[in-house]
Amino acid sequence: MLEARGLSKSFGRARALDGVSVEIAPGEVVAVTGPSGAGKSTLLHCLAGVLRPESGEVVLDGRRIDTLGEAELTALRRQSFGIVFQFGELVPELSAVENVALPLLFNRHGRGEAMAAAAEWLERLEVADCADQRIGELSGGQRQRVAVARALVTGPRVVFADEPTGALDTLGGEQVMTAMLGAARAGGAAVVLVTHDNRVAAYADREITLRDGAVLAGVNP
Ligand SMILES: Nc1ncnc2c1ncn2[C@@H]1O[C@H](COP(=O)(O)OP(=O)(O)OP(=O)(O)O)[C@@H](O)[C@H]1O
């Protein structure tokens, strides 16, 4: 469904990715692991169409996406992908429910419909009580649940999560992981998860380990 073929990407003299090929099946949960600087975030950003690789291809459902124009790529990201970052990256001026409604408004849904769908997702993630609160008033765990709701509200094919539990304690992290994977499974979304935490990687169906910008052979089934 989502495939990277021979991706390479450098930042100055740092070679972040060096010929990485991976394939993600529909509904699959994949953890991308490896030491700091191995290229995990760069791979996630290339797969999600946030960064363009220098060479190689990214293919979604048989369609090459790394060569799309900026407007087409933005539209595809909004429709097919959801992204959860380590610190939520929510809009502080908006309430929780408004943050979750935002991707639907960008996709030209009416305000009433968008707000109703957003409220439903907050309920599913057990943060309905926070709907009208500003982001600054929420705990770290509540923020990440809101971020997960925002990533899933559009019914994406793939959810990308970069250290989604990195700012949480163990229990909070477990709760967010369970909530995110349950919601993704219910929506049929695949999940690509960057983590350096083995306990988080254990939630995945499969692990892709990177080292020095390449997939570590012999570890991944
Ligand atoms: N925007 C950037 N500008 C310059 N160098 C970058 C940039 N992004 C990544 N790099 C470099 O590319 C390499 C891979 O970085 P990347 O963030 O993908 O690794 P990572 O495995 O996600 O690391 P971490 O676990 O520390 O987040 C590193 O050497 C990093 O310094």
Side-chain angles (χ1 to χ4, degrees), residues 9-17 32-45 51 86 162-163 194-196 210 212-213:
K9 179 80 186 171
S10 299
F11 297 98
R13 279 163 51 198
R15 196 140 177 86
L17 294 180
V32 179
T33 61
S36 183
K40 303 182 296 292
S41 296
T42 305
L43 174 61
L44 182 117
H45 292 148
L51 261 184
Q86 182 173 357
D162 198 347
E163 302 279 7
V194 164
T195 184
H196 62 259
L210 295 182
D212 297 330

Side-chain angles (χ1 to χ4, degrees), residues 95-156:
S95 68
V97 69
E98 285 168 335
N99 265 279
V100 179
L102 213 49
L104 292 175
L105 297 173
F106 282 137
N107 285 348
R108 298 175 193 284
H109 290 257
R111 187 173 168 85
E113 186 197 339
M115 292 293 276
E120 234 170 76
W121 271 101
L122 289 178
E123 200 157 307
R124 224 171 278 179
L125 287 155
E126 297 176 2
V127 277
D129 294 354
C130 308
D132 297 321
Q133 282 176 273
R134 295 278 177 97
I135 301 309
E137 297 165 358
L138 306 180
S139 73
Q142 288 168 333
R143 276 182 218 192
Q144 285 310 72
R145 284 159 185 267
V146 173
V148 168
R150 186 185 56 176
L152 281 155
V153 72
T154 55

Side-chain angles (χ1 to χ4, degrees), residues 82-93:
I83 305 190
V84 181
F85 296 97
Q86 182 173 357
F87 297 106
E89 311 273 351
L90 299 158
V91 182
E93 292 80 12

Side-chain angles (χ1 to χ4, degrees), residues 5-10 15 17-20 46 52-58 64 66:
R5 299 176 185 152
L7 292 188
S8 295
K9 179 80 186 171
S10 299
R15 196 140 177 86
L17 294 180
D18 191 6
V20 171
C46 285
R52 287 182 200 269
E54 275 143 24
S55 58
E57 303 180 353
V58 181
R64 203 166 158 185
D66 58 288

